[in-house]
Amino acid sequence: MSTITLEQQAAIAAKLASMTLPSGLGDEESACSIAAINLALSGRLTDDIPDCMSKVIGRWIIKVQDSMPADMRNSERWKQLLPLAAGTGRDKEKKRLAIILDWMWGTVLPTLQPHADANGFGAEWQTMTKKRTEAAARADAAAEAAAREAAYAAAAARADAVWAAAAMEAAWAAAYAAAAAEADVWQTFDPCGLLERLIDVK
């Protein structure tokens, strides 16, 4: 049962139809997913999760909508789901969190395995995705840090150390940004499908 009225759902749908959803908060003419919901419900430009909405879903939307391709974020399917997400309430949070964690461990992280392999911490990454434990995640983080330090050292041997460190940091971030931007990766992630599942939790 929705925590908002049909009129409120319609107002959210109308607001979403009138704008392009950006990455980041945006403004009153072009607001992010959560801010657009708030503009429709209260007239306020904010990405605070409204009381009528699951905090688990709201936080996930904020994270994923900033990374997903613009055409997916502005797709009819995504915009149709947001008014329903706004009325999800907060009495099924544990179930929804479990679904998101399963998606993260079972879909998102394994998809990024080639990037872990290419950057020297593939074995730890694979172990982490199979064990699905905090300890495995910590071991992978340590391996990633070690790989990054080795890359820094190699770069520093070829150039000024300060600039090398900055360049490697940028390259590291760019590698993950490139992976996240690939359309086929996002088809695998299927955030719209996950949002449908989160809304439908009984």
Side-chain angles (χ1 to χ4, degrees):
M1 181 176 177
S2 179
T3 58
I4 61 175
T5 66
L6 291 176
E7 290 77 11
Q8 287 173 314
Q9 281 189 12
I12 295 169
K15 179 63 70 175
L16 291 165
S18 72
M19 59 176 58
T20 298
L21 305 180
S23 175
L25 179 64
D27 54 37
E28 292 188 0
E29 284 70 43
S30 180
C32 73
S33 298
I34 299 298
I37 290 171
N38 281 312
L39 283 170
L41 293 178
S42 67
R44 295 173 56 238
L45 178 68
T46 175
D47 61 0
D48 292 343
I49 300 163
D51 292 341
C52 56
M53 185 177 194
S54 160
K55 275 193 175 182
V56 169
I57 291 178
R59 288 172 179 160
W60 175 81
I61 286 174
I62 289 171
K63 294 289 186 185
V64 78
Q65 83 105 53
D66 283 351
S67 300
M68 67 200 299
D71 59 346
M72 184 176 285
R73 183 171 57 247
N74 284 283
S75 66
E76 182 179 358
R77 187 181 179 198
W78 182 256
K79 288 186 174 183
Q80 286 176 342
L81 290 168
L82 291 175
L84 301 176
T88 45
R90 300 183 179 177
D91 60 342
K92 304 286 191 303
E93 298 293 64
K94 287 185 178 180
K95 289 183 179 180
R96 290 183 171 119
L97 181 58
I99 290 170
I100 290 173
L101 289 174
D102 185 66
W103 172 77
M104 180 191 75
W105 287 113
T107 301
V108 175
L109 297 181
T111 302
L112 298 176
Q113 182 67 49
H115 300 281
D117 293 338
N119 286 284
F121 53 96
E124 292 83 3
W125 189 274
Q126 188 172 56
T127 298
M128 176 185 70
T129 59
K130 287 182 177 179
K131 289 189 174 180
R132 300 188 177 199
T133 64
E134 181 180 354
R138 288 183 183 277
D140 174 70
E144 179 182 351
R148 190 181 306 191
E149 287 303 316
Y152 284 165
R158 296 191 301 270
D160 176 81
V162 174
W163 287 106
M168 288 307 302
E169 187 69 32
W172 201 263
Y176 283 97
E182 293 174 4
D184 58 339
V185 169
W186 279 96
Q187 293 302 321
T188 300
F189 292 170
D190 188 18
C192 292
L194 181 63
L195 184 52
E196 285 180 341
R197 291 175 58 203
L198 294 171
I199 292 167
D200 289 342
V201 166
K202 304 300 183 190

